Amino acid sequence: MLLIIEILIFAILLVRNRRKSEVRKLVGITLDTAVVQREFTVGDKFNCDGLVVQAAYNLDPTSDNIVDFVVLTEEKLEAAKSNGALNGCYVVKPAMNEVGKKNITVVYQNQTAVYSIAINERVARRTLDTESVSASQAAFVFKENDANKLFYNRSFKARLIQSNDKVKKWYTKLKNELLSAERRCACTFR
């Protein structure tokens, strides 16, 4: 009986010594992208807010969540690797001026994980020449970067100006009725 107890104590001590000699090592990383923006438009600024990098280790605690990271371009990441200055967690941002699906690479202690985003085209807006805009309409039109093009403001007044004659007559009649009622009862409908 004493021999069995000594063997058990020896086995327990052996297991404890092995665990003490083992070093906690990173096994891999995974990404939690549940709340990360995945759809962009050409020219948008890259945004990875909400990204969580989950690091898996061989010993307890077996995982950590990493939410602090640096966003770099591919060139800056390569420069940091060549200088040996790669320490921490990095997100490699894509060129945001090209339409299509892009892979976003996340690097943490020489482990990588990837998620994808989509960069879509800008939706073209209806334009009209500056010469075709009358002086009364000019207040309801706003300019964009291109000096030769104007874009309609989609406010109520701008939509009214763009509507057909039947709607304009109906609106004029309604407005006049409200103004005369306002004068009669000394109240304001605005």
Side-chain angles (χ1 to χ4, degrees), residues 40-46 93-102 117-122:
F40 294 89
T41 304
V42 171
D44 284 353
K45 185 177 178 184
F46 177 70
K93 70 178 179 177
M96 299 297 286
N97 57 355
E98 300 170 1
V99 174
K101 291 205 179 276
K102 306 285 183 178
I117 64 168
I119 301 175
N120 303 315
E121 287 185 39
R122 285 210 178 275

Side-chain angles (χ1 to χ4, degrees), residues 1 4-7 16 38 55 58 67 79 88 93 95 98 103 107 141 145 148 150 168 174-175 179 185:
M1 180 73 162
I4 293 173
I5 293 173
E6 286 179 9
I7 292 173
R16 276 191 184 168
R38 307 286 290 265
N58 62 341
V67 293
K93 70 178 179 177
E98 300 170 1
N103 288 331
V107 180
V141 176
N145 294 335
N148 297 327
L150 292 176
K168 288 178 184 177
L174 178 65
K175 183 179 79 170
L179 289 173
C185 69

Side-chain angles (χ1 to χ4, degrees), residues 48-130:
C48 59
D49 292 345
L51 177 66
V52 177
V53 180
Q54 299 165 333
Y57 294 94
N58 62 341
L59 297 175
D60 284 335
T62 57
S63 67
D64 283 332
N65 287 341
I66 302 155
V67 293
D68 295 324
F69 39 82
V70 178
V71 178
L72 297 173
T73 61
E74 187 74 42
E75 295 82 27
K76 287 185 180 178
L77 180 70
E78 291 303 320
K81 281 182 181 178
S82 66
N83 293 338
L86 198 61
N87 189 10
C89 189
Y90 298 91
V91 176
V92 181
K93 70 178 179 177
M96 299 297 286
N97 57 355
E98 300 170 1
V99 174
K101 291 205 179 276
K102 306 285 183 178
N103 288 331
I104 307 302
T105 305
V106 179
V107 180
Y108 179 64
Q109 295 181 3
N110 294 326
Q111 297 283 330
T112 61
V114 176
Y115 74 97
S116 62
I117 64 168
I119 301 175
N120 303 315
E121 287 185 39
R122 285 210 178 275
V123 178
R125 294 159 69 175
R126 291 188 324 172
T127 63
L128 94 137
D129 288 336
T130 55

